[in-house]
Amino acid sequence: RVGVGATPLPPLPPTTPDLPSTTPPPPSAIADEITPAPDTTPEVPAFPTTATTGVGMSPSAAFAPAALSNALALADTTVTSGTSAALWLNGGMSQVNLVGSTLIGNPWAINIAARTVSGSALAATTQIDANDSILQGRVYTAAGSTSSLNLSNGSLWLVTASSNVTNLSNDASVIEYPALLPGVDPVNPNSYRAVRVDGTYRGNGGTIVFNTLLAGDYSPSDRLAIVNGAGGGSPRVQIR
């Protein structure tokens, strides 16, 4: 209501009718394409994805340490892979502690190798302490990487495939080469397995269980080969 003598309000501008739904929207005031900043993330190779996984673990229990020392502890844990390694240690320095745990891989229980960072290979340096634990499968250390495997307090390593480590300690534990399967030719040297130690082997009350064909000095057998280091301690040997 306009009072007597008041100045009339100016007329409202004409309204803009709604655009038909088929009419494209007006151009955006923001550029459609923004050039992203360059990706400086170090190049890291993908881990295998075909392996089955243990409870609560990423594929193959993948563990990729960085350039500084990293630690992984598994207690009362079982990690199983039917088609790959149970534990991968790829590049950098790492410490692994197993207590009452089991690693079962096919063919590797543990695979230790370099990884690529910024186009260069970063070798792995690792120490694995297995306390009252079980390893089933091959322990592989790639060229250029180093590994120290310490078995203690009744641990068991079932060597299902030939393996190599830098240093190996067997303290009141068992390194066992499983019995040859039925149908495997016991005369064929390739039926047996070997563990190569490039540094030092110490057997402090530990036992090694070998399969051997008792038919002469050069009969085929499972082997523990100490290549560039020395052996010590009080190892025990069982032949079957």
Side-chain angles (χ1 to χ4, degrees):
R1 177 181 298 179
V2 179
V4 177
T7 304
L9 294 174
L12 294 174
T15 58
T16 303
D18 292 337
L19 294 174
S21 60
T22 57
T23 303
S28 173
I30 303 176
D32 292 333
E33 296 183 1
I34 299 176
T35 303
D39 185 3
T40 57
T41 304
E43 179 185 356
V44 179
F47 291 106
T49 58
T50 57
T52 56
T53 60
V55 176
M57 308 302 293
S58 55
S60 294
F63 176 69
L68 300 178
S69 181
N70 291 263
L72 172 67
L74 297 178
D76 299 322
T77 300
T78 297
V79 181
T80 301
S81 173
T83 57
S84 189
L87 181 64
W88 290 84
L89 301 174
N90 286 55
M93 301 176 64
S94 61
Q95 169 84 37
V96 178
N97 293 304
L98 306 175
V99 179
S101 294
T102 300
L103 300 181
I104 301 174
N106 182 24
W108 312 278
I110 304 174
N111 190 309
I112 303 157
R115 68 169 177 164
T116 302
V117 177
S118 300
S120 300
L122 175 63
T125 300
T126 187
Q127 177 174 317
I128 304 159
D129 295 330
N131 182 341
D132 186 27
S133 295
I134 298 174
L135 307 179
Q136 180 175 317
R138 182 184 189 189
V139 176
Y140 171 72
T141 307
S145 294
T146 59
S147 60
S148 294
L149 175 58
N150 302 316
L151 306 173
S152 66
N153 194 25
S155 290
L156 170 65
W157 178 17
L158 293 170
V159 184
T160 59
S162 292
S163 305
N164 67 305
V165 294
T166 307
N167 300 298
L168 178 59
S169 175
N170 186 1
D171 185 0
S173 297
V174 176
I175 299 172
E176 179 178 351
Y177 300 81
L180 300 182
L181 296 175
V184 174
D185 183 6
V187 179
N188 186 349
N190 294 327
S191 299
Y192 300 85
R193 294 134 298 193
V195 172
R196 170 180 169 136
V197 179
D198 289 303
T200 300
Y201 173 78
R202 297 190 181 280
N204 300 316
T207 300
I208 306 177
V209 181
F210 293 99
N211 298 286
T212 299
L213 180 64
L214 300 177
D217 291 341
Y218 298 99
S219 297
S221 174
D222 295 319
R223 291 168 294 151
L224 174 69
I226 304 172
V227 180
N228 297 315
S234 54
R236 302 171 182 173
V237 173
Q238 179 180 333
I239 303 295
R240 64 183 176 197

